[in-house]
Amino acid sequence: MRQVHSFAAGQWIAPGPGARAIESAITGEVIAQAGNDALNVQDMRGFAREVGAPALQAMTFHDRARMLKALALHLREHRQILYDLSFNTGATQSDHLIDVDGGIGTMLVFASKGRREMPDGQVYLDGPPEQLGRTGQFMGQHVCTPLQGVAVHINAFNFPVWGMLEKLAPTLLAGMPAIIKPATATSYVTEACVRLMIDSGLLPEGTLQMIAGGTGDLLDHLDCQDVVTFTGSAETGAYLRNTANLRDNAVRFTTEQDSLNASVLGPDATPGSPEFDVFIAETLREMTAKAGQKCTAIRRILAPHSRVDAVIGALTQKLSQITVGDPRDAATQMGALVSNTQKNDVLAKSAHIGAEAEQVFGNPDDFAMADSPGAFVPPMLFHCADPDTAKAVHDIEAFGPVSTIMPYRDLDHAAALLNRGKGSLVASVITRDGDVARALTLASAPFHGRLYFNNRDSMAEATGHGAPLPHMVHGGPGRAGGGEEQGGVRGVLHYMQRTAIQGSPDMLSAITRTWVPGAQEVTKPAHPFTRPFADLAIGDTLHSPARTITLDDIDTFAHFTGDTFYAHMDQHAAAANPFFPGRVAHGYLLLSFAAGLFVQPDPGPVLANTGLDSLRFMKPVQAGDSIKVRLTVKAKTPRNEDYGEVRWHVTLTNQNDEAVAEYELLTMNA
Ligand code: NAP
């Protein structure tokens, strides 16, 4: 029998008093035990705060992103261990790809976003600076810094690896340590994954701990620097949300719950069309992948009234070809539910649905695995002819391969039915009609965390109704828990505090290590383009000489480039334009002259100009005006051992010191 250990304050702790038995989904036999009521969870919290948090917070976002990447690659190298263990949860090899590989992939995306979209520092800037005073000497900036406590992640049984990694990656990237509490039923898989991460030596001590079994009084002593995330049933979510300490101390608490997700067959998707086929294929996958134990699975299938029979016909035909069986068998397409307890729960909930909907496919007493002691059920499809008066089909989540098809009259009716889920993680619409997509978005988006549109144009690349992606937010309102996870850097910010910083430009620059207009500029004798990346400091500035613009310059540029737009060529027509006093210089001519004014032409540390951001032309320049440039190092981001990106703040001013253009220039510097 496998002993599922907790990892607490640097020690692996075996099961003890109060341990619970874990059964194999395939055989129903007890294969493991987990839990120890004597576990000192308050010590774990202290260890995370005192040892883990300082170690993580001494690192930069980029250090942490590199650590995540190394961890993900380490897990990928050893994933066979996780596959082998996961069969006993009832999952097939293709289910493992969702859980194990999906979790590793999610970690890699966060690693990449951390390097690309976050600074190589400890303060994340949320938006641009705001000028709060008349002259720019009092500014504001929103910044995010990591919370100083611990993130407690309470996870559901269905994704023992992905469920942990999708939360752990943004937590560690933010700079917070985590205590993972997997669902007991599949905790042996999570434990193996935690062991791989701990044994890799890649994580600073105290940054990852795990509780196998109950959380004891952990939640009763958390404070405003801690975070609790919960994934699981609405019932447990409601119970935990009402923990007095969490409520009284406004401890951050985010939930991802069950959800009555729906998919709509668009009115344009006729049988025989690619859209109809995609609809059937996606619904089939959502019903059978992980034996329907996916929080995003399609529970309600909405089709135009006239297409219901065609959908039932196509789906039942496909479902009849699904092989349900031992997940270790390569021919098996759908494995078992996680346990016989779960099987009983699914059958009981299906019976409620069956009381108001006709079962059109799947008999749990008559299918290939009916006599198995394992937790097998067949896919079960119901037809609810009157979804307006029905209740159970919109309220009860049978967390297994169970879906109900229902008719809709028109788009308003489809939207009303979609919203009867009272908030869900995802709804999909299979249509090629942009008006249908827009109408359903307007009528339904506030009820869903994600809307997924698919048709013949996108189907080759579409990622699937049920796949939460690290780039996009995952979570939903109401019944779905009201939480939000992932969504790129948005997901990292859940573990940080956003603070509005107000002060002089120098104060803001010192805090953020980013130059803010109005902050001190430093002019050094050597041209900044001659100084390597390491020798450039935030605020280093070059002031160029002035250059006068002539009519000849404007004519030459116009004919050379072909840009003979009337504002540059025709005095009379230009003057009639409300923006121009007469013929004006091309904006791009000014940019080109600016480069000519600030460049240092010799080979040197500047390797390439890689782009330009936030360009604004603020005041027209006419022949006879002169321009000069101020070029200031705004921010630096190392890319690798050889070079890094320098973000320059560039301002062009005229002979009256009025700003005529402003932008940020990006260079890659050795
Ligand atoms: P569950 O029974 O609600 O349990 C979820 C987690 O809460 C488990 O780790 C469980 O631990 C823990 N827990 C239960 N009571 C607790 C308490 N008093 N204090 C602290 N922790 C407690 O849900 P499940 O059966 O594992 O998962 C299935 C549900 O999760 C489905 O409804 C599904 O829709 C939902 N889900 C949602 C998402 C999403 O992202 N929205 C993802 C996956 C699953 P024990 O196992 O030790 O009891």
Side-chain angles (χ1 to χ4, degrees), residues 157-190:
F157 72 78
N158 56 335
F159 288 115
V161 177
W162 176 84
M164 167 172 60
L165 299 185
E166 61 109 7
K167 290 179 174 148
L168 186 61
T171 305
L172 295 178
L173 186 53
M176 266 192 110
I179 297 176
I180 310 288
K181 187 266 179 276
T184 301
T186 54
S187 55
Y188 51 97
V189 181
T190 310

Side-chain angles (χ1 to χ4, degrees), residues 379-393:
M380 288 176 268
L381 183 66
F382 292 85
H383 171 216
C384 175
D386 183 5
D388 292 326
T389 56
K391 281 177 72 71
V393 297

Side-chain angles (χ1 to χ4, degrees), residues 507-634:
M507 290 301 102
L508 265 52
S509 283
I511 293 164
T512 62
R513 303 231 168 120
T514 302
W515 188 78
V516 175
Q520 198 185 17
E521 301 165 15
V522 180
T523 310
K524 294 177 181 161
H527 189 288
F529 279 21
T530 63
R531 301 209 300 275
F533 184 79
D535 292 352
L536 286 170
I538 304 300
D540 278 358
T541 297
L542 174 87
H543 287 277
S544 82
R547 171 174 186 151
T548 302
I549 313 292
T550 67
L551 213 47
D552 203 32
D553 290 334
I554 299 174
D555 281 332
T556 305
F557 190 79
H559 293 300
F560 179 52
T561 61
D563 180 355
T564 53
F565 187 61
Y566 73 88
H568 313 305
M569 311 306 290
D570 182 334
Q571 175 66 18
H572 186 68
N577 179 313
F579 288 93
F580 303 123
R583 286 182 70 181
V584 294
H586 306 67
Y588 300 123
L589 170 62
L590 301 180
L591 293 190
S592 304
F593 279 162
L597 288 168
F598 65 62
V599 82
Q600 207 289 340
D602 302 330
V606 178
L607 304 175
N609 168 357
T610 55
L612 189 157
D613 279 345
S614 313
L615 170 62
R616 285 287 171 281
F617 295 118
M618 294 132 103
K619 202 170 172 55
V621 172
Q622 293 188 278
D625 290 343
S626 71
I627 58 160
K628 56 187 184 307
V629 185
R630 184 190 63 199
L631 180 80
T632 304
V633 177
K634 177 179 175 182

Side-chain angles (χ1 to χ4, degrees), residues 30 40 82-83 108 153 222 261 318 327 432 503 558 578 624 656 668:
V30 173
N40 191 334
L82 304 175
Y83 293 163
L108 286 170
H153 295 314
L222 301 179
N261 313 292
K318 295 277 184 199
R432 215 179 172 213
N656 302 321
M668 221 41 106

Side-chain angles (χ1 to χ4, degrees), residues 156 158-159 162 166 230-234 254-263 286 293-300 397 399 418 421-428 444-452 464-469 472-486:
N158 56 335
F159 288 115
W162 176 84
E166 61 109 7
F230 167 77
T231 298
S233 62
T254 170
T255 50
E256 298 297 334
Q257 290 171 186
D258 61 18
S259 163
L260 274 295
N261 313 292
S263 183
E286 292 305 321
Q293 298 167 113
K294 278 192 349 188
C295 53
T296 49
I298 296 171
R299 305 282 171 215
R300 300 177 301 141
E397 182 205 44
F399 200 57
L418 273 179
K422 301 194 196 79
S424 80
L425 295 169
V426 53
S428 56
S444 210
F447 284 80
H448 306 282
R450 180 161 63 88
L451 286 180
Y452 170 91
H465 162 106
L469 299 173
M472 310 301 292
V473 291
H474 172 60
R479 171 77 188 248
E484 195 181 281
E485 292 178 337
Q486 308 207 75

Side-chain angles (χ1 to χ4, degrees), residues 38 61 148 199 284 380 390 417 440 463-464 490 508 514 570 583:
F61 292 108
Q148 293 175 3
D199 292 348
L284 183 77
M380 288 176 268
L417 293 176
L440 287 177
T463 44
R490 291 176 193 87
L508 265 52
T514 302
D570 182 334
R583 286 182 70 181

